């Protein structure tokens, strides 16, 4: 900024030259004028920043937070450019943290698992922008795998009394979907299986079944296929003995007070990625489609019937 004789400082300078006897008054004028100028410049900048920066939060989908950022930041930079806004990308320590951040409106949008989205909608009025595509499909399946050599001819009868490793109770496919399936048939997993455990990570459960540490383990097809592709387990390391009906995929969801205009702009930017840009997506993601809540109502129903989602 130019500080010439026409600036606010000229008021005090002229006062001293003319011998005025009210220096404090002139000082007050100087400070007031400076504050007004500062406010005039700063306020629009603050407002512009709040309007023109989108805050994206991600859970650590890859092995580390740094790897998650490396994988997804290029995609969201493209999206932000398409929207004409700046980007502030944050990677949380866990899935729970990112759900809390969206519900408390610390972030504008995030990628969430389907059950996480249902909970965020129930607790924080989150809204869906897109459904994520995996190998071109907007759905995936829960699976139960068996250790090598275990023969299951009739399901679930032949599984009675075997050991079962389920995932955390917050998992869509690793706990809620299979638990609901059993209870709908009058079977309580904790007593149906001979040794029952909850709380394993998805990877640990797959490996436990592959190593014969447990007879059965829950999970989901996309994750299992990713582990096979990455060489963590082999295709015949364990066997899929049950799978659910198709379930709606992960979503991109936005916070409660995110404007509808911005939600649509985010949706259109994600859906409008070019084939070349989609190559930046980590396997097995292949794109995005506009999302509605309707496909996720089946998970709401399951949650209510299991008592983990209030009506």
């Amino acid at each position: 900024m130019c500080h010439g004789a026409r600036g606010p400082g000229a008021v005090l300078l002229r006062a001293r030259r003319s011998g005025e006897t009210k220096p404090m008054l002139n000082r007050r004028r100087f400070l007031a004028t400076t504050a007004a100028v500062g406010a005039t410049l700063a306020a629009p900048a603050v407002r512009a920043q709040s309007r023109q920066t989108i805050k994206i939060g991600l859970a650590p989908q890859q092995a580390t937070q740094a790897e998650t950022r490396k994988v997804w930041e290029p995609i969201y930079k493209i999206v932000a450019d398409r929207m004409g806004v700046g980007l502030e990308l944050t990677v949380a320590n866990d899935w729970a943290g990112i759900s809390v951040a969206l519900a408390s409106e610390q972030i504008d949008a995030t990628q969430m698992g389907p059950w996480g989205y249902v909970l965020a909608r129930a607790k924080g009025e989150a809204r869906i922008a897109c459904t994520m595509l995996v190998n071109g499909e907007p759905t995936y399946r829960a699976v139960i795998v068996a250790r090598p050599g275990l023969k299951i001819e009739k399901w679930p009868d032949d599984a009675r009394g075997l050991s079962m490793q389920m995932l955390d109770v917050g998992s869509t496919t690793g706990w809620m979907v299979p638990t609901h399936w059993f209870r709908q048939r009058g079977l309580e997993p904790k007593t149906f299986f001979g040794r029952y455990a909850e709380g394993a990570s998805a990877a640990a459960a797959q490996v436990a079944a592959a190593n014969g540490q447990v007879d059965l383990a829950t999970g989901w097809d996309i994750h299992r296929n990713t582990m096979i592709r990455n060489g963590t387990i082999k295709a015949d390391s364990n066997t899929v003995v049950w799978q659910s009906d198709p379930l709606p995929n992960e979503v991109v969801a936005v916070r409660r007070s995110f404007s509808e205009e911005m939600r649509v702009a985010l949706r259109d930017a994600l859906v409008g990625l070019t084939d070349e840009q989609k190559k930046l997506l980590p396997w097995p993601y292949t794109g995005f489609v506009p999302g509605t809540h309707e496909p996720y109502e089946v998970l709401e129903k399951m949650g209510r019937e299991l008592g983990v989602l209030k009506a």
Side-chain angles (χ1 to χ4, degrees):
M1 180 183 292
C2 177
H3 294 285
R6 299 184 64 84
V11 176
L12 183 58
L13 182 61
R14 288 196 298 272
R16 288 176 176 171
R17 287 176 178 173
S18 62
E20 290 182 16
T21 57
K22 297 180 180 179
M24 291 303 293
L25 178 61
N26 287 297
R27 177 178 175 79
R28 292 191 189 101
R29 287 175 182 166
F30 169 71
L31 293 173
T33 304
T34 303
V37 171
T40 301
L41 293 175
V46 171
R47 288 195 296 270
Q49 184 179 17
S50 64
R51 284 198 308 267
Q52 297 180 2
T53 299
I54 185 169
K55 296 180 179 180
I56 302 291
L58 298 175
Q61 297 176 331
Q62 308 302 313
T64 65
Q65 289 171 284
E67 186 65 19
T68 299
R69 176 180 293 278
K70 179 181 178 182
V71 166
W72 286 103
E73 193 167 41
I75 289 293
Y76 279 103
K77 281 184 176 179
I78 292 170
V79 168
D81 287 343
R82 278 175 169 256
M83 296 173 68
V85 298
L87 173 66
E88 183 178 320
L89 185 70
T90 302
V91 182
N93 292 320
D94 51 39
W95 289 94
I98 212 66
S99 296
V100 171
L102 188 69
S104 59
E105 302 198 83
Q106 299 174 48
I107 56 175
D108 296 319
T110 186
Q111 295 175 188
M112 309 183 77
W115 178 236
Y117 156 68
V118 168
L119 291 175
R121 184 177 186 271
K123 297 179 180 179
E125 300 177 33
R127 293 172 292 141
I128 189 172
C130 295
T131 293
M132 302 176 72
L133 295 177
V134 172
N135 295 324
E137 297 295 330
T139 59
Y140 74 124
R141 295 173 185 264
V143 298
I144 293 176
V145 298
R147 61 173 170 78
L150 179 62
K151 300 297 182 182
I152 303 288
E153 300 292 342
K154 186 177 180 181
W155 180 265
D157 302 56
D158 292 350
R160 185 183 296 274
L162 299 179
S163 59
M164 163 63 82
Q165 176 65 64
M166 286 205 185
L167 309 189
D168 187 90
V169 294
S171 171
T172 308
T173 54
W175 183 83
M176 188 179 74
V177 173
T179 297
H180 183 268
W181 188 91
F182 278 104
R183 289 184 182 174
Q184 284 293 99
R185 288 155 181 79
L187 304 174
E188 174 52 53
K190 291 183 179 180
T191 55
F192 179 79
F193 294 105
R195 179 164 57 89
Y196 174 89
E198 298 171 347
S201 70
Q206 289 291 318
V207 171
N211 292 342
Q213 295 171 290
V214 295
D215 295 318
L216 302 164
T218 58
W220 66 98
D221 57 353
I222 296 170
H223 178 262
R224 179 175 180 271
N225 292 338
T226 300
M227 291 185 70
I228 293 171
R229 185 175 186 270
N230 293 342
T232 307
I233 59 174
K234 295 180 180 180
D236 59 355
S237 292
N238 54 42
T239 305
V240 177
V241 294
W242 173 85
Q243 66 177 9
S244 70
D245 292 332
L247 300 166
N249 264 349
E250 296 171 63
V251 308
V252 176
V254 301
R255 60 181 170 84
R256 175 176 55 247
S257 61
F258 199 56
S259 75
E260 178 63 9
E261 180 183 5
M262 288 291 282
R263 185 192 72 84
V264 171
L266 175 62
R267 178 198 69 192
D268 291 349
L270 287 165
V271 172
L273 291 172
T274 66
D275 290 341
E276 193 65 27
Q277 290 166 343
K278 289 176 185 176
K279 292 178 181 178
L280 296 173
L281 291 167
W283 191 89
Y285 297 104
T286 53
F288 302 83
V289 291
T292 64
H293 179 66
E294 184 178 0
Y296 299 86
E297 290 175 354
V298 63
L299 299 178
E300 284 185 323
K301 183 175 182 292
M302 287 184 191
R304 286 193 292 268
E305 291 175 352
L306 289 174
V308 293
L309 183 68
K310 302 301 180 183

